[in-house]
Amino acid sequence: MKVAIHQGPFAELPDAVAASGADLVVAAEMITTGYHIGARTHELAEPADGPTAARMSALAGETGVALAYGYPELDGGDVYNSVQLVDAAGHRLANYRKTHLFGDLDRAWFTPGGEAVVQADLDGVRVGLLICYDVEFPELVRAHALAGTELLVVPTALMSPYHLVADTLVPARAYESQLFVAYANRCDTEQELTYCGRSCVVAPTGDVLARAGAGPELITAEVTRAALVASRLENTHLADRRPDLYRGTTA
């Protein structure tokens, strides 16, 4: 599977998808509306099957490229920070609601999701979904690995000065839990926040297969099951676990 990350504005997503030559394009957290937008979050929130979802499904169907994108999801009286996965035919495959809310930026406007592991099969690859701060919790990434996730897709809105997350933590998560990670960041500025870019696709070996800089960019990388199997044979963290020793340590 060829995976691309669109690190750039929502308005440029259709052109990026068409030019990507990818099987899957991943876009940033809340790319459809902006992330640090205050009360407009609730004004712009839509159901998972709303007008924006229809536009994204149409884009996927027209280009033959699967999409993962972040948006504010309206469900009843609640708004969630969500990511939706759409296949190349435009069918909605999975929708994940951010479970670990980041400070007042998230808690003021969003309800936390209640499902830790959300997955779907895409072109024979088991794809799992997380959002931004979620990936900073090793328990959550490990839960994905144990549930069979092979490619972990993480739309994010990582701001300066937290480059460490993109540069060090994300490769560590890929290595310690032996899966591919596609980490798609923003690179714009909203109010006092400057997003640092540095989106990446990381192999289960911890090797960075593709890395963006600080500005708008489209990056691509190949994700293969053969590479995953080879890495897990050499780096046996999952097989060598001793869950009997860990009981009570995650509470």
Side-chain angles (χ1 to χ4, degrees):
M1 175 188 288
K2 185 176 181 180
V3 178
I5 292 177
H6 169 60
Q7 182 177 283
F10 184 48
E12 296 177 6
L13 179 61
D15 288 343
V17 172
S20 68
D23 300 298
L24 169 66
V25 171
V26 184
E29 179 178 12
M30 296 278 285
I31 189 174
T32 64
T33 59
Y35 171 61
H36 188 23
I37 57 174
R40 296 190 68 228
T41 302
H42 282 227
E43 295 170 12
L44 298 174
E46 297 180 9
D49 60 354
T52 297
R55 287 175 60 194
M56 294 296 97
S57 292
L59 176 60
E62 291 164 3
T63 57
V65 178
L67 299 172
Y69 64 93
Y71 74 106
E73 179 193 356
L74 179 65
D75 186 1
D78 294 316
V79 174
Y80 299 91
N81 184 337
S82 297
V83 54
Q84 187 141 229
L85 177 65
V86 180
D87 72 12
H91 302 125
R92 293 184 295 113
L93 296 183
N95 189 76
Y96 169 76
R97 297 165 171 176
K98 190 174 185 180
T99 53
H100 295 72
L101 300 185
F102 179 75
D104 292 340
L105 283 174
D106 273 340
R107 295 188 187 109
W109 306 111
F110 299 111
T111 298
E115 188 173 3
V117 177
V118 174
Q119 302 168 311
D121 289 318
L122 181 68
D123 295 341
V125 176
R126 192 67 170 168
V127 177
L129 303 173
L130 292 180
I131 298 174
C132 199
Y133 192 41
D134 289 327
V135 81
E136 299 183 38
F137 293 82
E139 303 92 341
L140 194 54
V141 180
R142 179 56 55 82
H144 267 277
L146 296 178
T149 293
E150 297 169 313
L151 169 62
L152 188 61
V153 167
V154 190
T156 192
L158 180 71
M159 66 285 294
S160 297
Y162 302 110
H163 305 76
L164 172 76
V165 176
D167 292 349
T168 302
L169 188 145
V170 171
R173 290 288 174 270
Y175 178 69
E176 71 191 4
S177 283
Q178 286 298 294
L179 36 67
F180 288 95
V181 179
Y183 185 78
N185 197 16
R186 308 178 66 93
C187 61
D188 52 337
T189 298
E190 293 177 319
Q191 300 186 61
E192 77 280 11
L193 301 182
T194 297
Y195 303 107
C196 62
R198 303 202 57 74
S199 299
C200 55
V201 181
V202 184
T205 57
D207 293 323
V208 177
L209 304 178
R211 168 79 73 185
E217 197 168 343
L218 180 71
I219 60 171
T220 61
E222 290 288 340
V223 170
T224 69
R225 178 169 285 115
L228 179 65
V229 170
S231 181
R232 288 183 175 181
L233 285 173
E234 181 177 354
N235 306 301
T236 56
H237 302 80
L238 298 179
D240 293 341
R241 294 173 63 253
R242 295 188 57 190
D244 55 306
L245 299 181
Y246 314 146
R247 293 192 181 97
T249 63
T250 58

